[in-house]
Amino acid sequence: MSGLTIAVVGLGFGQDFVPIYLSHPAVATVVLVEPDAQRRAEVAGRFGLRGGFADIADALADPAIDAVHILAPVFLHADMAVAALEAGKHVACAVPMATTLDDLERIIAAKNAAGTTYMMMETAVFGREYLVVEEMLRRGEFGAPTLFRGFHIQNLDGYPVYWQGFPPMHYLTHALSPVLGLLDTTVESVTCLGTGRLPESRRTGGFDNPFPTEVGLFTLRDQDIVADITMSFFQTARAYVEGFALYGEHLGVEWPPDNEGDMTVYRMSGPRPGSRGNQVVKESLAPRDFPERLPEPLRRFVRETDVHLPGMPAPASVGAHHGGSHPFLVHEFVSSIVDGRAPIVDERRAADFTAPGICAHRSALAGGERVEVPQYS
Ligand SMILES: NC(=O)c1ccc[n+]([C@@H]2O[C@H](COP(=O)([O-])OP(=O)(O)OC[C@H]3O[C@@H](n4cnc5c(N)ncnc54)[C@H](O)[C@@H]3O)[C@@H](O)[C@H]2O)c1
């Protein structure tokens, strides 16, 4: 069989990626890796797959597997990525790349030694909202950018213990990466404060973190604008939202307040004759899907869809969260392997997206001390 064999490791969020890989023209098959045997059997049955493994070590020892996509819990990301690179596999990994600077360095070193591909699967720079803002920025519609706001507010009560008390800034990448991608820059330094207080009874995950919410100001290399970012996982009464707003001297774009739907655009022109302040016109913007950037069989996955692929016993519904980004991530990872090039979010860019959150949490623990952020790319 020609084409790549991809192991999907962790079948919570990971199960949404299985039919997308199976539909990619350069992929031959998918191997499932999941310790929960019932979950593995259910996903295998749904997509007409056989076998699979409980333990990633068995997948890494299998010479038929070319690449692994890690969607296991965060605390496993770094060790799994390093082990997979050392086994000579191409690696895609869900965010965050890791939660210590040492682990970022360890993954970069393993990638350099292996010579295979590493990609962090950052949904926030492949979703339709990001892509439409990028287009408007490249067309010069914003004028000089003046402010970026990023936010990720999500309530993690009831999530597994490895999420309880998780330092919000350790999951910064979705809220920060859009500004780094849009302006092609990196973070220089961060000043961050925690707000609110996690009672001891909520700190069951074993993290050094007393904060339900963290708010950071990030200076950007060679840029005049500052990124103002709020990360909140506990004790904050707000529906889930994970997005950004970008403002320039002529145009401002805001994420939908309910996380889905139209964005709001503000166009600012000259002063109104005889009154104070500039004229601002407010419009709704429905971001388009950018199907032309995907191979035809992947285009359907930008929206929730029913699939009935060869070998599947029945049609199955596939979600399309995170701005329809999942097929773009799969295509970028697979085509970077096939073309022998670095993916857009390679190991260095991934570290540029991840290190600022590690440094931000350090700043919050030190009462808002300014922390310099290492640059990797
Ligand atoms: N927008 C995004 O990019 C986005 C969204 C959701 C989740 N995520 C990330 O994706 C990953 C998975 O998220 P989730 O919500 O499915 O998490 P989860 O904790 O609900 O599920 C993880 C899955 O991995 C399995 N697992 C546990 N230990 C494993 C091991 N040793 N080997 C293989 N599998 C193992 C679990 O049984 C479970 O099925 C996390 O790292 C999360 O941060 C990213």
Side-chain angles (χ1 to χ4, degrees):
M1 198 166 10
S2 68
L4 299 171
T5 296
I6 314 276
V8 174
V9 182
L11 297 176
F13 178 42
Q15 56 188 282
D16 277 354
F17 287 87
V18 174
I20 308 178
Y21 281 114
L22 288 171
S23 300
H24 196 288
V27 173
T29 192
V30 167
V31 174
L32 304 179
V33 181
E34 166 63 57
D36 179 334
Q38 200 180 339
R39 179 172 282 192
R40 193 172 71 248
E42 193 281 313
V43 177
R46 197 187 322 151
F47 295 111
L49 298 170
R50 271 178 303 160
F53 300 108
D55 188 333
I56 189 175
D58 295 321
L60 300 186
D62 183 344
I65 292 174
D66 301 291
V68 299
H69 182 170
I70 299 162
L71 298 114
V74 171
F75 67 90
L76 295 168
H77 288 187
D79 285 348
M80 282 187 169
V82 168
L85 290 165
E86 286 176 354
K89 309 299 185 192
H90 302 286
V91 174
C93 186
V95 309
M97 182 180 190
T99 55
T100 67
L101 298 182
D102 285 349
D103 276 346
L104 300 183
E105 295 283 359
R106 215 156 57 86
I107 294 167
I108 291 171
K111 150 70 181 77
N112 288 341
T116 50
T117 298
Y118 176 93
M119 176 172 170
M120 185 173 78
M121 300 298 254
E122 178 51 80
T123 48
V125 294
F126 287 90
R128 63 177 73 82
E129 292 86 358
Y130 174 86
L131 297 176
V132 79
V133 170
E134 185 182 49
E135 248 184 7
M136 294 163 100
L137 187 72
R138 301 287 176 263
R139 284 199 298 257
E141 292 185 38
F142 282 85
T146 49
L147 174 65
F148 176 89
R149 285 217 168 104
F151 32 83
H152 182 170
I153 303 177
Q154 184 168 3
N155 185 265
L156 299 187
D157 287 356
Y159 277 58
V161 67
Y162 47 79
W163 283 113
Q164 296 314 310
F166 194 91
M169 279 291 169
H170 280 187
Y171 209 81
L172 173 70
T173 68
H174 297 325
L176 172 74
S177 59
V179 73
L180 302 186
L182 290 168
L183 302 183
D184 191 20
T185 187
T186 55
V187 171
E188 205 166 44
S189 72
V190 56
T191 308
C192 180
L193 289 172
T195 174
R197 185 136 297 257
L198 278 173
E200 283 297 337
S201 59
R202 286 176 163 275
R203 301 187 202 174
T204 49
F207 301 101
D208 180 15
N209 174 43
F211 306 123
T213 298
E214 294 179 314
V215 179
L217 288 176
F218 298 79
T219 63
L220 307 177
R221 271 193 186 80
D222 304 321
Q223 298 287 335
D224 295 325
I225 88 167
V226 163
D228 161 359
I229 300 189
T230 299
M231 293 292 307
S232 178
F233 285 157
F234 307 97
Q235 296 167 231
T236 301
R238 210 277 175 207
Y240 164 61
V241 63
E242 182 185 303
F244 67 89
L246 180 68
Y247 304 90
E249 55 184 336
H250 302 310
L251 191 85
V253 180
E254 291 180 352
W255 199 263
D258 297 329
N259 205 50
E260 303 284 342
D262 289 358
M263 303 178 89
T264 302
V265 174
Y266 298 94
R267 290 185 193 277
M268 189 164 78
S269 51
R272 237 178 259 108
S275 71
R276 299 181 183 193
N278 284 340
Q279 299 181 60
V280 177
V281 176
K282 180 179 170 186
E283 299 162 5
S284 280
L285 170 70
R288 66 187 192 87
D289 287 340
F290 297 85
E292 71 283 359
R293 299 190 187 183
L294 291 170
E296 202 283 326
L298 262 59
R299 292 180 183 173
R300 62 198 307 183
F301 295 106
V302 298
R303 299 277 173 180
E304 190 174 338
T305 185
D306 285 337
V307 290
H308 195 173
L309 303 172
M312 284 175 61
S317 172
V318 183
H321 307 293
H322 313 112
S325 58
H326 305 168
F328 292 93
L329 288 166
V330 165
H331 185 50
E332 176 63 11
F333 180 49
V334 168
S335 56
S336 71
I337 297 170
V338 171
D339 299 344
R341 63 169 173 85
I344 292 172
V345 188
D346 67 3
E347 72 287 353
R348 294 186 179 279
R349 202 64 179 136
D352 283 336
F353 287 180
T354 307
I358 298 168
C359 296
H361 184 58
R362 193 177 287 173
S363 168
L365 290 177
E369 202 171 86
R370 181 184 164 113
V371 176
E372 302 296 320
V373 178
Q375 184 179 14
Y376 299 89
S377 60

